[in-house]
Amino acid sequence: MRNILLFDLDQTILNRNESLIRFISWQVNFFQLVPQELKDVFIKKFIELDDNGNVWKDIVYSQLIKDFNIKKFTVDELLNSYITDFNKFSIGFDDVQKVISDLYQKGYKIGLVSNGKSPFQEHNFYALGLTEYFSTIIVSEAIGLRKPDKKIFAYACNQLNCTPSDCIFIGDNPKADIEGAKNVGMKTIFFHPNKILKKSNTDESINHYDELERAINGINNGGL
C-alpha cells in the first residue's frame, strides 16, 4: 500500500486563480490604483501578465504601471504588498480541509512539494490551516531544487523516510508534477478542476476533492 501522499500547492490545494482575483481586487481598492470602471480591465491584465504564476510580479507590476499610468506607487511598493498580503486571501479548493483531515486520521503521511518563492509559498500554505496534517513542507527556492528535477522528489522521500514506491503525488502540472513524480517511480493523481482540460498521462485523474480517496484506493487496489 502506498501510504505517503505528496501534494503540490498552487491549483492543487490552494485555489490560486480565485485567491489571486481576491487579492488583486483588494489591492486595487486599497491603493486606489485605477478608477473603479477600470478595475475589471486591470484584474484581467494582471492575470494575463501573470501567466499562471510563471512570471514573477516585478515584471507584472512594471507593465501594469506603464499600461495604466500609475504614478503614486513604485514596482517595489506593489511587489512588497503582494509578498506580504497575498496570503490573507489564500483559499483552498472545496472540501480540501475535510478530505486531507480524513486521510490524515486514516493513517496517511502527508507532505507538500511546491515550486515557488520562499517564504512566500509557505505563508500561502499556512493561511489554509492545514499545517498540522503535513509531516514536511518543501518549497523549491528554500532547498535549491525545482520540480520536475528528480532530486526534489528524492529530497521529499528522505524527509519522510520512505521510497518513491511508497508515494502517490497529487498535482495539477502535467510536466512538473505528473511527469516528474512518475520519473522517480511514484504513482500520480492529476487534479484538474476544469473538467474540459485534457487528461494527463497519469494513474488517476480527479476534478474535485470528493473524488480523491476513490482515486487513492484505485491505485492501491490496483497493486504496486
Side-chain angles (χ1 to χ4, degrees):
M1 176 179 173
R2 293 174 184 257
N3 64 344
I4 308 292
L5 305 177
L6 295 173
F7 287 83
D8 172 53
L9 179 59
D10 287 347
Q11 284 304 106
T12 300
I13 292 176
L14 174 75
N15 186 337
R16 184 181 183 274
N17 292 348
E18 183 62 31
S19 299
L20 184 61
I21 290 170
R22 286 158 52 106
F23 165 75
I24 305 166
S25 179
W26 168 83
Q27 192 178 52
V28 168
N29 292 344
F30 187 80
F31 292 103
Q32 300 176 49
L33 296 179
V34 296
Q36 284 298 307
E37 60 264 26
L38 294 178
K39 181 177 176 180
D40 288 344
V41 178
F42 184 94
I43 292 172
K44 184 177 179 181
K45 185 66 175 179
F46 190 115
I47 292 169
E48 177 186 313
L49 292 168
D50 173 72
D51 187 26
N52 293 315
N54 292 314
V55 178
W56 187 233
K57 303 312 157 295
D58 53 353
I59 296 172
V60 172
Y61 283 120
S62 293
Q63 190 62 48
L64 288 169
I65 284 173
K66 181 179 178 181
D67 290 351
F68 290 89
N69 195 30
I70 296 169
K71 303 290 188 184
K72 293 181 180 179
F73 300 98
T74 66
V75 170
D76 285 346
E77 286 172 324
L78 295 178
L79 178 61
N80 184 64
S81 167
Y82 176 80
I83 293 169
T84 303
D85 297 316
F86 184 94
N87 66 84
K88 299 177 180 68
F89 301 89
S90 292
I91 57 170
F93 282 99
D94 290 345
D95 294 334
V96 66
Q97 178 144 7
K98 177 184 182 301
V99 171
I100 287 179
S101 173
D102 287 348
L103 291 168
Y104 175 82
Q105 296 297 332
K106 289 177 180 178
Y108 286 94
K109 187 176 283 190
I110 303 172
L112 183 82
V113 184
S114 171
N115 284 348
K117 301 280 188 179
S118 182
F120 179 73
Q121 289 292 74
E122 288 94 335
H123 291 167
N124 295 339
F125 176 67
Y126 298 155
L128 299 176
L130 299 169
T131 311
E132 65 189 275
Y133 307 119
F134 282 70
S135 297
T136 188
I137 297 165
I138 299 166
V139 174
S140 62
E141 188 180 66
I143 63 168
L145 297 169
R146 186 176 177 85
K147 297 177 295 184
D149 188 336
K150 290 183 178 181
K151 292 178 182 177
I152 195 169
F153 297 99
Y155 182 91
C157 287
N158 185 59
Q159 291 287 300
L160 294 168
N161 192 28
C162 68
T163 66
S165 63
D166 298 319
C167 301
I168 299 173
F169 198 97
I170 301 102
D172 74 301
N173 188 300
K175 184 170 181 62
D177 298 325
I178 304 305
E179 185 179 319
K182 287 180 79 72
N183 284 342
V184 298
M186 295 180 181
K187 293 292 188 179
T188 60
I189 298 173
F190 182 49
F191 176 71
H192 53 113
N194 179 1
K195 294 184 179 182
I196 299 173
L197 193 63
K198 183 179 178 182
K199 182 178 178 180
S200 175
N201 180 27
T202 185
D203 297 293
E204 292 280 349
S205 184
I206 65 172
N207 304 119
H208 191 280
Y209 266 80
D210 62 12
E211 303 172 292
L212 181 56
E213 190 169 3
R214 172 200 56 76
I216 294 167
N217 290 338
I219 289 173
N220 281 328
N221 293 338
L224 302 177

